[in-house]
Amino acid sequence: MGVLYTENGQLLPPNSDIVTGHSAISAFWQGAMDMGIKTAKLETVELEGQGDTAFEVGKYTLGGEGGKVIDSGKFIVVWRTEGEKWRLHRDIWNSSLPAPG
Amino acid sequence: MGVLYTENGQLLPPNSDIVTGHSAISAFWQGAMDMGIKTAKLETVELEGQGDTAFEVGKYTLGGEGGKVIDSGKFIVVWRTEGEKWRLHRDIWNSSLPAPG
């Protein structure tokens, strides 16, 4: 997963500090899968670019064992070209479900 | 608050659907203040622009009565010029504190 991000790419996950760089990003997503996330449905709501940068607004749904919805919410990704390929540069999201507890 | 955003500006708040437009955005922030938020400290970590669009990565700390920290986290704002003024166009954030419950 990490290689889909720019060299100094960053995740800004809920309930976490900022996660920077390929190996830390890969470890983060591996951890998410280890916690039982089986599927991620991503829907682009808006995508606008200028030059080497674009921003995307989207919605996500995370599925677990047996198709159970674990979470659904929204994200903003700042995309950037690196070596002529578009890569995720900044990636932030949050849940649209009610807060637990 | 709403007028600081573009005409079709959007908040993407945690545990909420997307909030669109000046009056809904003003109502959202009024609600936040009514819930006891007294201060918001914002720190820009990164700000990059191209043409009429810029993205900002930052950190926030929300304070309540007596200087108590209610929340701290991070945000991405997509800024856009509208009528020669920079306005918030897309605004998403999440907490860096552990999840409740």
Side-chain angles (χ1 to χ4, degrees):
Chain A
M1 288 293 291
V3 295
L4 301 177
Y5 290 75
T6 58
E7 201 74 43
N8 62 344
Q10 290 186 324
L11 305 181
L12 291 75
N15 312 119
S16 163
D17 283 330
I18 293 175
V19 174
T20 303
H22 286 182
S23 65
I25 290 172
S26 289
F28 178 90
W29 289 123
Q30 185 60 53
M33 286 185 283
D34 292 347
M35 284 173 64
I37 294 173
K38 302 294 180 194
T39 60
K41 190 181 137 204
L42 304 175
E43 178 200 349
T44 300
V45 175
E46 184 179 25
L47 180 61
E48 292 191 22
Q50 281 181 323
D52 68 354
T53 306
F55 79 88
E56 177 186 9
V57 177
K59 296 190 175 182
Y60 71 83
T61 305
L62 303 180
E65 208 68 63
K68 181 172 175 279
V69 172
I70 293 178
D71 190 19
S72 68
K74 53 225 172 290
F75 62 84
I76 289 183
V77 170
V78 178
W79 292 85
R80 178 151 289 177
T81 53
E82 193 177 73
E84 302 192 359
K85 287 196 175 161
W86 284 97
R87 299 197 191 278
L88 294 89
H89 186 52
R90 300 289 178 263
D91 186 2
I92 185 171
W93 66 94
N94 62 44
S95 178
S96 296
L97 303 182
Chain B
M1 288 294 291
V3 296
L4 300 178
Y5 289 76
T6 59
E7 200 72 44
N8 62 344
Q10 290 187 325
L11 304 181
L12 290 77
N15 312 119
S16 162
D17 283 330
I18 293 175
V19 174
T20 303
H22 286 181
S23 65
I25 290 172
S26 290
F28 178 89
W29 289 123
Q30 185 61 51
M33 286 185 283
D34 292 348
M35 282 174 65
I37 295 174
K38 302 293 180 194
T39 60
K41 189 181 136 200
L42 304 175
E43 177 199 351
T44 301
V45 174
E46 183 179 27
L47 181 61
E48 292 192 21
Q50 281 180 323
D52 67 354
T53 305
F55 79 88
E56 177 186 9
V57 177
K59 296 190 174 181
Y60 70 82
T61 305
L62 304 180
E65 208 68 64
K68 181 170 175 278
V69 172
I70 293 178
D71 189 19
S72 68
K74 52 224 172 291
F75 63 84
I76 289 183
V77 170
V78 178
W79 292 85
R80 177 150 290 177
T81 52
E82 194 176 72
E84 303 192 359
K85 288 197 174 161
W86 284 97
R87 299 195 190 281
L88 294 90
H89 186 52
R90 300 289 177 262
D91 186 1
I92 185 170
W93 66 95
N94 63 44
S95 179
S96 296
L97 304 183

